Amino acid sequence: MPELRKDLFTDNWVIIAEGRDGRPIDYSQGTVPANDPADCPFEPGHESMTPPEIDAIRPSASKNADDWQVRVVPNKFSALSPQEPRSVPVKQGLFQRMNGTGSHEVVIESPAHSRRLSDFSPEQVERVLRIFQRRLRTLLGDERFQFVQIFRNEGREAGASLVHPHSQILALPFLPISFRDRLQASRKYYAQKQRCILCDVLEQELEKDERVISAGDSFVVLAPYAPRHPYELWIVPRQHRHDLRDLGEPERLDLAERIPETLRKLDDTLVNPPFNLLVRTAPTPNHHSEHPSYLEDLSEHFHWYLEVIPRIKRTAGLELATETHINTIAPETAAQTLRNGTT
Ligand SMILES: [Zn+2]
Ligand SMILES: [Zn+2]
């Protein structure tokens, strides 16, 4: 049974989940991944190897049939427990703990065993995005959860343990400190200017055109001004919305083309790099016992977007000690390289 412990020195919650050590790993230490679909729990026909399905998109109506196109299952080696009641902090001497109540789901993004996201068809990416929206609606509607993080690890260096394309969704009973800091920054800007910080940044970036990689009808891909990682990219919707749940079909179709197109640029330049894709979408303000100012006007001051972080740099002592990153590729250089194509 996982539990949450508060780090007294930073206010961060830490998930203690010993059982996850038993999970299968395609990637052994430093070698080529074991890549046999016969052993893969995410293959069509292997549905019984995963816990019962939560959601799916399939042409037929029969649940658990093997004709799914996207399938959501609980993580068999979950870092959190979805059956528990609402987490309530309990004192333990100086310390604080709470039940590891949360949801940890796997989105199996394709029936195809070994395919990079850059090779997905827009139709398939659109299905995955639709599933993300559906899961967000359910999980953010659950009063036990304050925050939902959707993310994707591709490649061993990015944290993937299985080759089969998948992303993960974690619903947490707390708001992580790093996300609180983002909300505080955007709320502060909004309080001064009554404007959204990312809308303003987007306008300035499009005008200066130093860090823009591509600009479509609905989404702009740019290298952020102060990226922590070489070739870090943001995919930003032009229309101001705080929440991925509100993305309509025309924009979803556009984003479904934009994602693989952007990843192909990274593949060409960095030769198929491992990467993380992070969805930055607003938490729900309703399930907090306190109502700090950064949760006010959330739909006005926060602007959802995607982050793509190629994992070509090892984080080391400085980053661990200070969270200060040294980035050896300026975003202007990264943007120019990606705009011009293969180096
Ligand atoms: Zn597979
Ligand atoms: Zn905005």
Side-chain angles (χ1 to χ4, degrees):
M1 171 64 203
E3 70 171 10
L4 298 164
R5 293 188 182 180
K6 192 163 218 180
D7 176 351
L8 204 59
F9 302 93
T10 64
D11 262 0
N12 275 311
W13 287 97
V14 176
I15 303 172
I16 308 289
E18 284 194 315
R20 277 177 58 74
D21 262 358
R23 66 192 197 277
I25 293 178
D26 271 356
Y27 299 96
S28 47
Q29 290 273 308
T31 56
V32 184
N35 205 6
D36 190 351
D39 303 326
C40 175
F42 297 162
E43 288 298 295
H46 291 187
E47 287 75 19
S48 62
M49 290 172 73
T50 65
E53 183 173 300
I54 296 170
D55 197 0
I57 294 177
R58 53 164 59 85
S60 74
S62 51
K63 205 176 173 189
N64 288 317
D66 65 1
D67 61 343
W68 53 269
Q69 293 158 312
V70 183
R71 187 165 181 257
V72 186
V73 296
N75 192 313
K76 199 171 180 176
F77 299 89
S78 178
L80 294 157
S81 173
Q83 276 89 35
E84 297 294 313
R86 190 185 186 129
S87 298
V88 179
V90 177
K91 287 249 181 211
Q92 282 187 318
L94 287 173
F95 302 124
Q96 248 187 78
R97 68 170 294 281
M98 53 184 183
N99 287 343
T101 305
S103 184
H104 188 175
E105 303 177 355
V106 177
V107 179
I108 307 167
E109 297 168 331
S110 163
H113 176 71
S114 177
R115 181 168 295 170
R116 291 177 64 80
L117 186 54
S118 52
D119 290 330
F120 273 40
S121 67
E123 292 76 24
Q124 191 61 13
V125 179
E126 191 275 334
R127 291 184 192 110
V128 174
L129 292 169
R130 225 185 315 151
I131 281 277
F132 285 172
Q133 291 181 294
R134 271 159 45 175
R135 294 313 302 149
L136 272 174
R137 284 186 198 111
T138 301
L139 293 167
L140 285 175
D142 190 321
E143 63 165 21
R144 298 173 303 162
F145 307 140
Q146 292 187 356
F147 182 74
V148 175
Q149 182 63 55
I150 301 174
F151 65 98
R152 190 174 198 286
N153 307 330
E154 184 159 312
R156 184 170 63 93
E157 296 83 351
S161 51
L162 293 172
V163 167
H164 199 117
H166 65 284
S167 40
Q168 299 180 61
I169 304 178
L170 259 86
L172 301 172
F174 60 92
L175 183 69
I177 296 276
S178 62
F179 207 87
R180 184 203 65 188
D181 292 348
R182 281 167 191 277
L183 295 178
Q184 278 179 335
S186 58
R187 177 64 169 75
K188 187 174 162 195
Y189 187 89
Y190 180 78
Q192 287 165 350
K193 303 202 171 187
Q194 280 73 57
R195 293 182 57 83
C196 159
I197 189 167
L198 190 45
C199 280
D200 279 3
V201 163
L202 200 57
E203 196 180 310
Q204 183 175 293
E205 290 295 337
L206 285 165
E207 199 181 294
K208 293 198 89 174
D209 202 20
E210 285 175 322
R211 286 171 290 272
V212 174
I213 292 144
S214 65
D217 289 344
S218 323
F219 288 87
V220 176
V221 182
L222 54 88
Y225 178 71
R228 293 157 298 166
H229 297 266
Y231 294 93
E232 178 178 329
L233 302 179
W234 291 11
I235 303 178
V236 183
R238 283 183 188 262
Q239 176 150 16
H240 176 83
R241 280 200 192 91
H242 69 302
D243 195 326
L244 171 60
R245 284 179 294 181
D246 301 333
L247 186 73
E249 191 181 3
E251 279 178 282
R252 194 168 60 232
L253 290 166
D254 193 26
L255 181 58
E257 286 190 26
R258 194 64 56 186
I259 290 172
E261 177 197 288
T262 302
L263 293 172
R264 280 195 295 274
K265 289 182 206 279
L266 284 175
D267 278 0
D268 288 347
T269 302
L270 303 174
V271 195
N272 304 346
F275 68 88
N276 298 108
L277 187 144
L278 314 176
V279 177
R280 301 291 195 187
T281 188
T284 168
N286 303 332
H287 309 153
H288 296 250
S289 49
E290 293 163 20
H291 293 282
S293 61
Y294 54 81
L295 291 176
E296 287 168 17
D297 308 313
L298 198 56
S299 62
E300 305 296 321
H301 71 77
F302 188 74
H303 188 133
W304 83 272
Y305 68 100
L306 302 179
E307 261 177 51
V308 179
I309 303 181
R311 298 300 294 275
I312 55 174
K313 170 190 98 160
R314 275 191 189 277
T315 48
L318 178 72
E319 289 85 356
L320 279 177
T322 65
E323 291 189 25
T324 303
H325 289 253
I326 301 176
N327 184 348
T328 52
I329 307 281
E332 297 77 22
T333 310
Q336 198 181 16
T337 308
L338 292 171
R339 272 208 290 213
N340 295 344
T342 317
T343 46

